[in-house]
Amino acid sequence: MDYKHIRTTPADALVIFGVTGDLAHKMIFPALYAMAKRGLLNVPVVGVASSPWTLAQLHKRVRDSIRQAGKIDDRAALDCLLSQLQYVSGDYNDPSTFGALKQKLGAARRPAHYLAIPPALFATVIKNLGTSGLAKQARVIVEKPFGRDLASARELNRIALSVFAEDSIFRIDHYLGKEAIMNILYFRFANSFLEPIWNRDNVASVQITLAEDFGVKERGAFYESAGCLRDVIQNHLFQIVALLAMEPPAFQGFGAVHNEKAKVFQAMRPLVPGDVVRGQYTGYRKEPGVAKKSDVETFCALRLFIDSWRWAGVPWYLRSGKFMASTAAEVMVELKPPPQKLFNDSHPANGRSNYLRFRLSPNSAIALAARVKCDGKAFVGEQRELYLLDEHHGAELPYERLLCDAMAGDGALFSREDAVEAAWAVVDPVLDTHAPVHPYKPGSWGPRQADALIAADGSWNNPIMVKTKK
Ligand code: BG6
């Protein structure tokens, strides 16, 4: 399956709404720089934001962003990026901002508008792009979270579709552009040994952990409107679940992948409060932009069921948190033990039976754990991992890949409307109905109530941090 099947005309300009913000600084400028290094940045880039900045200020911000992400190691690429960059400052509610943007776009006729702005502003900008005539032949790239619940996602889809066609709307989830996550799809369906065991007969449970050893940093205000469930679970972790749980695509091409992923979300059982444990690190309420009595979760663990033929009865445990003991993301697919206990040693100390482990970040690896006999007369063994390490030196950054794809009109690695809404339908019942957050210590693995959630099926796999070579 070649995902680079591009049949559309490429965009002839990139517009970044929210160009002075955190996302642009952290992700978008490094991605544009990487594109320039590969010779792929050959259209004007117009930044839009409300701050009354000069172009020189924006240039400074770009340099600073690239230095923070690595280093400036290609002057010509940096010059190329800076020379393409223009700036429009104005209020997103004011039609004259869009008039000024139109002027800056000059001869460009097929811009890609990237909304790197707070979700509450998406609808305003999309509507104004429509009324100002800037949506014709254009594309719109929307950052997650797409909506903040099922109703708002539907409403946002309605507004977006009143201005843009579905194939011109690119809902970004940068996890879909990560090598290790694309490899889940490949590994599952490019090999034949997995399929016979990849079901409820052989899989005991699946766990996914996305842990970060830092807090909300300067994003307190955003986080207050989102929380962990909306920020990473309903999107990043659910996308991983979909790739792990989906049926084989019926034909080559990403339309089939989208169909199968949407079915997984549709088969997920809507959550009830007892499936969810929310936590908050101590000190969060003192972060800038955070309410003194905030009940927003910085940690969330949940138990999920996919009521499909393949997965009925298999629990899926998802967990993510800020200020945890390490920064790492990992999937653990635990297999059922053999039907008979022939050796007295067959229950390892940590109680885990054979498993398949996908390490997703910061490095990427796949490990298959199996028991092997130790030396000696006695039939005593230990569980060891067959380990497949992948290094991705020089791989495209997720945002680089996804921006290039959106500009080329290739929606393979983006989320489809029906899938986004089906994913919201799963979390919707617990967005407002839940127990208060449990406090946890920064640097821990979250509140102990999360251990109780998984206890019936074992214990959490705590992925350790490893240093990656740059
Ligand atoms: C973002 C979330 O979408 O993903 C952040 O808003 C989170 O809160 C980030 O830190 C994690 O992405 P990555 O690529 O660093 O694992």
Side-chain angles (χ1 to χ4, degrees):
M1 181 179 329
D2 180 5
Y3 93 95
K4 298 254 179 213
H5 262 324
I6 304 157
R7 271 164 254 113
T8 51
T9 329
D12 57 3
L14 175 65
V15 179
I16 303 170
F17 288 89
V19 75
T20 56
D22 180 62
L23 180 67
H25 188 264
K26 197 171 153 203
M27 302 288 197
I28 303 173
F29 296 142
L32 294 178
Y33 176 60
M35 281 162 73
K37 278 166 89 170
R38 289 180 203 265
L40 298 175
L41 189 71
N42 34 38
V43 295
V45 179
V46 186
V48 188
S50 55
S51 313
W53 280 17
T54 60
L55 192 56
Q57 275 174 296
L58 186 58
H59 282 184
K60 186 166 173 292
R61 178 95 171 155
V62 171
R63 282 193 207 93
D64 181 62
S65 146
I66 296 166
R67 270 191 211 106
Q68 268 191 32
K71 60 178 182 199
I72 297 175
D73 51 5
D74 186 335
R75 282 274 150 199
L78 178 67
D79 290 347
C80 161
L81 167 55
L82 297 182
S83 69
Q84 300 284 18
L85 204 57
Q86 302 180 58
Y87 184 58
V88 172
S89 109
D91 186 335
Y92 299 140
N93 284 295
D94 184 352
S96 70
T97 306
F98 294 81
L101 171 60
K102 205 172 200 171
Q103 275 204 328
K104 285 272 192 255
L105 281 171
R109 290 288 168 270
R110 298 179 309 278
H113 302 287
Y114 186 170
L115 311 192
I117 49 178
L121 294 169
F122 289 167
T124 308
V125 172
I126 291 174
K127 281 184 198 160
N128 280 329
L129 286 172
T131 45
S132 61
L134 282 167
K136 278 187 219 133
Q137 298 190 66
R139 302 191 174 114
V140 68
I141 307 165
V142 189
E143 258 302 326
K144 51 124 291 245
F146 193 79
R148 55 184 328 276
D149 54 19
L150 178 58
S152 58
R154 280 191 179 139
E155 176 60 6
L156 187 54
N157 272 323
R158 193 190 60 72
I159 293 169
L161 287 165
S162 70
V163 176
F164 294 92
E166 173 65 17
D167 64 1
S168 300
I169 303 171
F170 293 81
R171 299 172 189 84
I172 274 209
D173 182 320
H174 77 281
Y175 267 50
L176 293 177
K178 291 190 179 223
E179 282 295 336
I181 289 172
M182 291 170 73
N183 190 39
I184 295 176
L185 178 70
Y186 186 83
F187 187 77
R188 273 200 62 199
F189 299 116
N191 298 307
S192 58
F193 74 94
L194 217 51
E195 179 59 15
I197 59 166
W198 209 249
N199 53 48
R200 63 191 304 274
D201 298 333
N202 297 283
V203 174
S205 68
V206 184
Q207 289 187 35
I208 308 176
T209 293
L210 163 57
E212 294 177 321
D213 70 350
F214 47 86
V216 294
K217 297 185 175 164
E218 61 293 339
R219 297 169 73 221
F222 160 74
Y223 217 77
E224 281 288 277
S225 69
C228 181
L229 182 55
R230 287 186 175 95
D231 184 36
V232 295
I233 294 192
Q234 184 269 352
N235 32 71
H236 299 335
L237 295 199
F238 271 29
Q239 289 294 339
I240 298 169
V241 173
L243 291 169
L244 289 165
M246 64 187 262
E247 296 302 316
F251 51 87
Q252 270 200 10
F254 261 80
V257 176
H258 286 304
N259 292 344
E260 296 307 333
K261 280 171 59 186
K263 285 190 214 159
V264 174
F265 297 125
Q266 285 152 6
M268 284 179 179
R269 198 182 298 168
L271 295 169
V272 295
D275 293 327
V276 181
V277 172
R278 300 184 319 123
Q280 188 186 78
Y281 64 78
T282 43
Y284 171 71
R285 293 176 188 179
K286 294 203 178 107
E287 300 276 16
V290 170
K292 297 274 161 292
K293 293 187 177 166
S294 172
D295 184 51
V296 168
E297 79 283 359
T298 59
F299 169 98
C300 187
L302 54 88
R303 179 182 43 222
L304 186 74
F305 288 95
I306 300 171
D307 291 329
S308 68
W309 193 270
R310 186 186 287 266
W311 295 114
V314 178
W316 293 67
Y317 290 99
L318 275 50
R319 175 178 68 155
S320 180
K322 300 280 183 201
F323 259 141
M324 297 190 70
S326 73
T327 295
E330 206 158 82
V331 172
M332 179 81 106
V333 180
E334 203 160 324
L335 301 175
K336 290 188 173 167
Q340 270 197 311
K341 195 171 169 225
L342 294 180
F343 308 106
N344 281 334
D345 72 324
S346 59
H347 288 293
N350 69 2
R352 248 181 243 301
S353 42
N354 302 155
Y355 60 80
L356 191 63
R357 183 167 69 85
F358 293 87
R359 175 66 164 220
L360 305 177
S361 76
N363 60 325
S364 132
I366 297 178
L368 176 64
R371 294 189 66 76
V372 285
K373 186 183 161 304
C374 301
D375 287 350
K377 195 171 172 210
F379 280 87
V380 172
E382 61 184 358
Q383 179 134 285
R384 302 241 296 268
E385 287 191 341
L386 294 160
Y387 193 75
L388 190 74
L389 179 67
D390 266 328
E391 303 270 357
H392 304 300
H393 301 303
E396 286 168 298
L397 303 168
Y399 270 92
E400 175 191 0
R401 172 170 292 159
L402 295 173
L403 271 178
C404 282
D405 282 3
M407 291 180 66
D410 184 348
L413 299 178
F414 294 82
S415 309
R416 211 170 62 180
E417 174 197 2
D418 54 343
V420 169
E421 290 183 10
W424 276 122
V426 178
V427 300
D428 223 40
V430 297
L431 287 175
D432 296 319
T433 310
H434 47 230
V437 288
H438 300 287
Y440 64 95
K441 266 205 223 133
S444 70
W445 284 102
R448 60 185 162 69
Q449 287 80 356
D451 299 333
L453 182 75
I454 200 172
D457 293 298
S459 58
W460 290 105
N461 153 53
N462 293 333
I464 46 164
M465 204 138 137
V466 289
K467 283 214 166 12
T468 44
K469 283 183 242 149
K470 283 241 162 136

